[in-house]
């Protein structure tokens, strides 16, 4: 149908990364050339960031239901039942592209956006988490990105009064041109008062609340749906600017109004701003919506309809109110010193109609913008299998003992202490944090008014996913499951953040398809459904993609928060055991990377039956009170796990078992936990009866990690190397 495109529309098509085939669909939809505002609306809603057009057919294969699930994907966040009439509301979101362009504001507004996704459902946020992936420490931008991103997360989360309780940070050259910032929020709500974005009631008022609309963040959704190039700095205006103090006011005002029955529907103005919130609310309700853009509170004069509709200014909400409740709602928002404006109404036309200066700038059907948006089954190519590597192929250098190798690994960018990062976050604001970064394998927050605790963790395994996407997808789910079990929590559900390169490349799309397959298998085997999530594609610069980096955010329930477990050795003379089989798999291990400078081989296989059985057994041990410390075995293997427990408890240990097998010390075999106990006999009877493989390792005590026939490593020396790499790097 494309005949001739006006120069302005041609420019806008290019700026919005809109394929000509999709522009042709828009022409057929309208029967005419679109206005600038109409093209902007369609391009934003059909962008990868908003429509998931490359991933939807695969995401639908993931398990999303279970007896504990109240609400799965499709709303702002997932919701699961935690008993006592309460629900946990949680989701993870990416803010990768903005954080690379402008680290502080990109990371800060990422936190602000995910907080709104949770409290727009009627939940009070109780915790934040994050996963950060930066480039090689040698890259000239890495240090400034780390500084800006960490400051942005702390600056926003600390000011709004929500503790940041857990996270992960990685360094790898694949992120040199595209860092990752994934933010997760968990909240608590009355399970009978969950709010959705489904509009209803022809004639009902459409209300705008929060901050004024400015020109920041315009084209943010379409910017995040394309690759970076050498002109990345020119995209700075697409990054939003956040204000955590206004967000705090908005949170309290929304929760106050939610305590009434005035709200019909509510939606955060996130990606694509007023466009996405208006269109999605109307589409879910099978309705139309009319907007008078002259009534939108503006921060800048003479803004065009295009700018108003696509601005991603922060701290804004759109809601539909019951008839006659407008004055009541306005009084609440004025009390909190926030803007309140009735900017439109719901209609039965099924169309989005918006006018500016009494001129209709947008008149477009709603359904094709959402439910009938483009869907692509992109070509995908499987990742070729890697060779299985035996530990004997890569022995320790002749001058390096297992303890010297441990010292080198523990002072590497991947395994060094993250204290420099998490000490910038307020981990205890609100008074309900029971366990945070540095304590155990998951953050734990008390559920106020009960004896329960919510455990939460975020995990990713990019090395594994790069080598074998299917196995890597299984592993990242299993790691989340283990981290929750290790603190004594029963895993409930997950949220995912799928960070990948350009899906138009068959190799990248094949990574995505494989990871989804692996994640789906693991979630089904572990009864660990995915109830919310986010996709971030086109994470590559000048054709160089990131490693496939799916992130899993998991939550679990502790019926008695006082039974939570930590990783630290507690007392001298306690027995140390490893639960699960140690085979010695070193493919894609940090041992191979840090000691031999290689990233080769297959990742460790994941036995989902063993993961489930060993996790349940470990949880039961913790609930029974016979375990004094617990830590899952993951990056770096068994000796790294023991060292982390010793450092956390400031107590050494003596490992009585010795072997010269590097795989035993540093292999990353799955489904394993290291535990300490005061009653070794009772433990051996229990684990033997369960038919679970285990091994006695030694006893806690002293001020060094010692290994029979090897020697010892003083904790003071280990701590100096472990704690100082990151501060020294950031201060150099």
């Amino acid at each position: 149908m494309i005949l001739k495109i006006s120069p302005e529309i041609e420019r806008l098509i290019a700026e919005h990364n809109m394929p000509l085939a999709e522009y042709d669909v828009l022409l057929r939809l309208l029967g005419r050339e679109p206005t600038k505002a109409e093209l902007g609306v369609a391009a934003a809603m059909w962008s990868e960031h908003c429509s998931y057009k490359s991933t939807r057919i695969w995401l639908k294969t993931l398990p999303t239901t279970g007896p504990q699930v109240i609400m799965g994907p499709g709303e702002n966040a997932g919701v699961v039942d935690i008993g006592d009439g309460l629900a946990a509301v949680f989701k993870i979101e990416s803010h990768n592209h903005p954080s690379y362009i402008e680290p502080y504001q990109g990371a800060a507004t990422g936190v602000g956006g995910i907080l709104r996704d949770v409290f727009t459902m009627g939940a009070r946020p109780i915790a934040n988490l994050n996963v950060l992936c930066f480039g090689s420490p040698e890259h000239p931008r890495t240090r400034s990105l780390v500084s800006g991103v960490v400051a942005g997360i702390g600056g926003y989360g600390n000011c709004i009064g929500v503790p940041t309780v857990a996270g992960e940070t990685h360094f790898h050259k694949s992120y040199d041109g595209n860092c990752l910032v994934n933010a997760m929020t968990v909240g608590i709500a009355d399970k009978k008062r969950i709010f959705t974005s489904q509009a209803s009631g022809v004639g009902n008022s459409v209300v705008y609340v929060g901050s004024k609309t400015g020109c920041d963040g315009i084209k943010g959704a379409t910017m995040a749906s394309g690759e970076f190039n050498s002109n990345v700095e020119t995209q700075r205006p697409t990054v939003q600017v956040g204000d955590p103090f206004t967000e705090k006011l908005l949170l309290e005002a929304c929760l106050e109004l939610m305590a009434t029955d005035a709200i019909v529907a509510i939606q955060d103005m996130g990606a694509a701003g007023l466009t996405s919130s208006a269109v999605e609310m109307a589409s879910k309700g099978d309705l139309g919506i009319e907007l008078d853009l002259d009534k939108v509170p503006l921060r800048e004069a003479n803004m065009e309809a295009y700018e108003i509709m696509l601005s991603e200014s922060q701290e804004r909400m759109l809601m539909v109110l019951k008839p006659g409740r407008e004055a009541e709602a306005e009084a609440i928002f004025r009390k909190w010193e926030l803007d309140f404006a009735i900017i439109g109404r719901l209609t039965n036309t099924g169309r989005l109609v918006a006018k500016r200066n009494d001129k209709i700038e947008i008149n477009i059907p709603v359904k094709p913008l959402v439910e009938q948006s483009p869907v692509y089954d992109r070509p995908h190519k499987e990742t070729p299998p890697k060779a299985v590597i035996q530990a004997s192929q890569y022995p320790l250098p002749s001058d390096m003992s297992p303890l010297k190798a441990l010292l080198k690994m523990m002072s590497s960018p991947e395994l060094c202490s993250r204290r420099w990062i998490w000490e910038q976050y307020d981990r205890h604001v609100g008074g309900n944090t029971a366990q945070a970064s540095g304590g155990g394998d998951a953050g734990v927050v008390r559920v106020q008014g009960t004896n329960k605790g919510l455990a939460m963790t975020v995990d990713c395994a990019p090395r594994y996913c790069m080598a074998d996407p299917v196995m890597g997808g299984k592993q990242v789910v299993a790691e989340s499951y283990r981290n929750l079990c290790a603190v004594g929590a029963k895993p409930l559900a997950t949220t995912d953040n799928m960070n990948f390169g350009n899906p138009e490349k068959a190799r990248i799309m094949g990574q995505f398809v494989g990871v989804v397959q692996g994640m789906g298998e693991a979630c089904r085997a572990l009864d660990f459904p995915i109830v919310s999530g986010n996709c971030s594609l086109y994470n590559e610069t000048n054709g160089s993609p990131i490693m496939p980096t799916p992130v899993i955010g998991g939550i679990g329930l502790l019926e008695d928060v006082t039974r939570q477990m930590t990783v630290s050795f507690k007392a001298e003379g306690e027995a140390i055991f490893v639960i699960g089989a140690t085979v010695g798999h070193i493919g894609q291990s940090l041992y191979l990377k840090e000691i031999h400078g290689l990233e080769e081989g297959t990742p460790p296989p994941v036995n989902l039956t063993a993961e489930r059985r060993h996790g349940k057994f470990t949880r039961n041990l913790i609930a029974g009170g016979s375990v004094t410390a617990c830590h899952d075995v993951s990056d770096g293997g068994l000796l790294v796990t023991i060292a982390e427990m010793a450092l956390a408890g400031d107590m050494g240990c003596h490992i009585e078992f010795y072997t010269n097998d590097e795989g035993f010390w540093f292999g990353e075999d799955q489904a394993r936990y290291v535990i300490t106990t005061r009653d070794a006999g009772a433990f051996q009877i229990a684990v033997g009866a369960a038919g679970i493989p285990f091994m006695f390792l030694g006893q806690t005590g002293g001020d060094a990690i010692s290994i029979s026939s090897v020697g010892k490593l003083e904790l003071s020396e280990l701590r100096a190397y472990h704690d100082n790499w990151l501060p020294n790097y950031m201060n150099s």
Side-chain angles (χ1 to χ4, degrees):
M1 183 175 176
I2 298 176
L3 299 174
K4 185 179 179 182
I5 303 173
S6 67
E8 182 185 32
I9 294 297
E10 187 174 22
R11 175 179 59 82
L12 286 169
I13 290 172
E15 287 182 0
H16 287 84
N17 303 318
M18 192 180 202
L20 285 177
E22 292 181 12
Y23 179 72
D24 190 45
V25 172
L26 180 59
L27 283 182
R28 295 176 187 278
L29 190 64
L30 295 173
R32 56 175 170 79
E33 183 175 87
T35 65
K36 177 182 178 181
E38 286 170 336
L39 187 139
V41 164
M45 293 305 299
W46 291 348
S47 69
E48 193 71 63
H49 194 72
C50 291
S51 72
Y52 291 8
K53 57 191 175 186
S54 299
T55 59
R56 259 190 290 170
I57 61 172
W58 301 106
L59 295 174
K60 287 180 179 179
T61 67
L62 292 170
T64 60
T65 60
Q68 73 276 38
V69 177
I70 295 174
M71 194 170 294
E75 276 296 337
N76 288 288
V79 186
V80 296
D81 194 335
I82 60 171
D84 295 317
L86 299 174
V89 180
F90 67 109
K91 189 183 181 185
I92 192 167
E93 279 272 8
S94 62
H95 232 222
N96 303 333
H97 287 64
S99 297
Y100 187 78
I101 298 168
E102 211 300 302
Y104 185 95
Q105 289 297 345
T109 52
V111 174
I114 193 61
L115 283 163
R116 289 194 299 280
D117 278 344
V118 167
F119 72 75
T120 194
M121 303 286 290
R124 179 171 291 279
I126 62 167
N128 290 329
L129 306 88
N130 58 73
V131 168
L132 312 177
C133 296
F134 300 107
S136 166
E138 290 76 33
H139 191 272
R141 282 211 66 190
T142 298
R143 190 178 287 103
S144 64
L145 287 170
V146 174
S147 178
V149 165
V150 171
I153 291 171
Y156 208 100
N158 296 352
C159 290
I160 199 171
V162 178
T164 299
V165 301
E168 275 198 4
T169 303
H170 298 272
F171 294 89
H172 192 276
K173 62 184 179 181
S174 78
Y175 306 108
D176 281 352
N178 204 127
C179 66
L180 301 185
V181 176
N182 291 181
M184 176 176 167
T185 293
V186 181
I188 299 292
D190 181 336
K191 75 174 186 179
K192 295 181 180 179
R193 296 187 62 79
I194 303 299
F195 291 80
T196 72
S197 57
Q198 182 177 330
S200 64
V202 172
N204 280 350
S205 296
V206 176
V207 174
Y208 171 117
V209 299
S211 291
K212 289 179 169 59
T213 294
C215 287
D216 56 318
I218 294 173
K219 296 201 297 287
T222 50
M223 174 272 291
S225 302
E227 293 183 30
F228 280 156
N229 55 37
S230 57
N231 297 320
V232 64
E233 290 299 325
T234 65
Q235 302 193 55
R236 193 173 297 274
T238 63
V239 179
Q240 311 93 326
V241 177
D243 180 356
F245 299 104
T246 299
E247 178 111 333
K248 173 63 172 174
L249 300 177
L250 183 61
L251 185 160
E252 298 300 341
C254 286
L255 292 181
E256 183 174 338
L257 183 60
M258 288 167 169
T260 73
D261 63 347
I263 296 176
V264 174
I266 183 169
Q267 174 75 31
D268 163 42
M269 289 193 218
L274 182 55
T275 289
S276 62
S277 55
V279 168
E280 289 172 5
M281 291 173 79
S283 177
K284 288 176 181 177
D286 293 319
L287 295 170
I289 188 168
E290 290 183 357
L291 300 175
D292 184 350
L293 302 183
D294 294 342
K295 295 181 179 178
V296 173
L298 300 179
R299 203 163 59 223
E300 302 173 41
N302 303 316
M303 289 181 67
E304 300 176 359
Y306 169 88
E307 295 171 318
I308 296 170
M309 290 298 294
L310 294 178
S311 167
E312 294 184 11
S313 293
Q314 298 291 283
E315 293 89 38
R316 302 179 301 159
M317 293 279 192
L318 197 67
M319 58 179 66
V320 176
L321 297 179
K322 291 181 179 178
R325 307 300 292 274
E326 294 87 353
E328 177 185 358
E330 181 173 10
I332 290 173
F333 283 92
R334 297 296 185 198
K335 181 187 76 173
W336 289 100
E337 300 181 350
L338 296 166
D339 279 292
F340 177 99
I342 300 172
I343 65 168
R345 66 185 186 92
L346 298 178
T347 69
N348 60 4
T349 65
R351 302 182 75 84
L352 168 66
V353 179
K355 65 180 182 177
R356 176 70 166 145
N357 297 323
D358 295 322
K359 177 185 176 183
I360 293 178
E361 296 282 356
I362 300 171
N363 188 346
I364 190 169
V366 166
K367 285 291 184 183
L369 294 176
V370 184
E371 296 178 11
Q372 298 166 26
S373 59
V375 177
Y376 297 114
D377 185 357
R378 298 197 185 277
H380 55 278
K381 181 180 179 181
E382 288 188 12
T383 299
K386 303 291 189 296
V388 176
I389 290 179
Q390 303 298 327
S392 58
Q393 295 175 254
Y394 295 97
L396 283 167
S398 57
D399 62 344
M400 186 176 283
S401 71
L403 290 174
K404 286 185 177 179
L406 173 67
L407 191 63
K408 182 174 181 180
M409 291 174 65
M410 291 290 282
S411 58
S412 70
E414 276 297 284
L415 287 175
C416 72
S417 170
R418 274 38 177 166
R419 180 181 297 274
W420 183 91
I421 293 174
W422 50 255
E423 281 191 341
Q424 297 186 51
Y425 306 149
D426 191 333
R427 298 172 294 143
H428 298 283
V429 62
N432 287 316
T433 301
Q435 186 173 160
S437 300
D441 285 328
V444 180
V445 179
R446 299 176 190 89
V447 180
Q448 206 161 9
T450 75
N451 292 323
K452 296 177 177 178
L454 261 187
M456 53 204 74
T457 180
V458 280
D459 299 283
C460 65
R463 300 189 317 280
Y464 296 170
C465 292
M466 186 71 178
D468 183 337
V470 176
M471 197 62 71
K474 292 180 185 179
Q475 195 280 336
V476 69
V477 173
E479 170 73 2
S480 178
Y481 187 88
R482 284 198 303 274
N483 282 334
L484 295 171
C485 291
V487 299
K490 179 182 179 182
L492 292 179
T494 70
T495 180
D496 64 2
N497 207 134
M498 309 294 279
N499 305 280
F500 289 79
N502 185 342
E504 297 167 47
K505 299 175 180 178
R507 178 175 67 89
I508 303 298
M509 197 64 217
Q511 293 172 348
F512 185 91
V513 173
V515 164
V516 169
Q517 178 186 333
M519 286 169 48
E521 290 180 27
C523 288
R524 280 184 283 271
L526 300 174
D527 289 336
F528 204 28
I530 295 176
V531 298
S532 61
N534 169 257
C535 285
S536 175
L537 306 184
Y538 296 96
N539 289 289
E540 53 184 276
T541 299
N542 294 324
S544 181
I546 64 166
M547 290 192 291
T549 312
V551 172
I552 289 290
I555 68 164
L557 186 65
L558 281 153
E559 290 293 344
D560 182 354
V561 71
T562 65
R563 291 284 190 177
Q564 67 173 326
M565 189 49 55
T566 63
V567 303
S568 57
F569 290 158
K570 304 297 190 305
E572 297 204 3
E574 295 186 339
I576 306 170
F577 291 92
V578 58
I579 296 170
T582 298
V583 177
H585 190 105
I586 67 163
Q588 298 300 324
S589 67
L590 284 182
Y591 166 78
L592 205 62
K593 181 175 185 290
E594 298 301 334
I595 303 303
H596 293 281
L598 300 172
E599 295 180 28
E600 294 182 359
T602 60
V606 178
N607 182 327
L608 294 169
T609 301
E611 291 285 1
R612 182 174 179 131
R613 184 171 67 247
H614 299 181
K616 183 177 181 180
F617 176 77
T618 301
R619 294 198 308 271
N620 288 340
L621 282 181
I622 293 169
S626 63
V627 172
T628 54
C630 182
H631 193 4
D632 88 304
V633 183
S634 56
D635 286 347
L638 186 59
L639 194 53
V640 166
T641 302
I642 293 168
E644 289 173 343
M645 299 174 80
L647 288 173
D650 197 23
M651 179 178 296
C653 63
H654 179 65
I655 305 303
E656 299 179 11
F657 179 85
Y658 175 70
T659 174
N660 60 1
D661 180 1
E662 293 81 3
F664 176 83
W665 298 114
F666 302 112
E668 296 179 5
D669 306 306
Q670 304 291 286
R672 293 188 297 164
Y673 303 81
V674 172
I675 65 105
T676 58
T677 178
R678 290 182 293 268
D679 193 339
F683 168 80
Q684 291 178 83
I685 291 171
V687 72
I692 292 173
F694 73 99
M695 180 180 289
F696 172 72
L697 297 174
Q699 289 190 327
T700 60
D703 53 11
I705 297 173
S706 67
I707 302 176
S708 293
S709 304
V710 173
K712 65 180 182 178
L713 173 61
E714 298 291 339
L715 284 186
S716 58
E717 183 182 4
L718 177 61
R719 188 180 304 282
Y721 277 81
H722 181 61
D723 285 3
N724 290 334
W725 185 89
L726 190 53
N728 289 344
Y729 171 72
M730 293 306 298
N731 293 329
S732 63

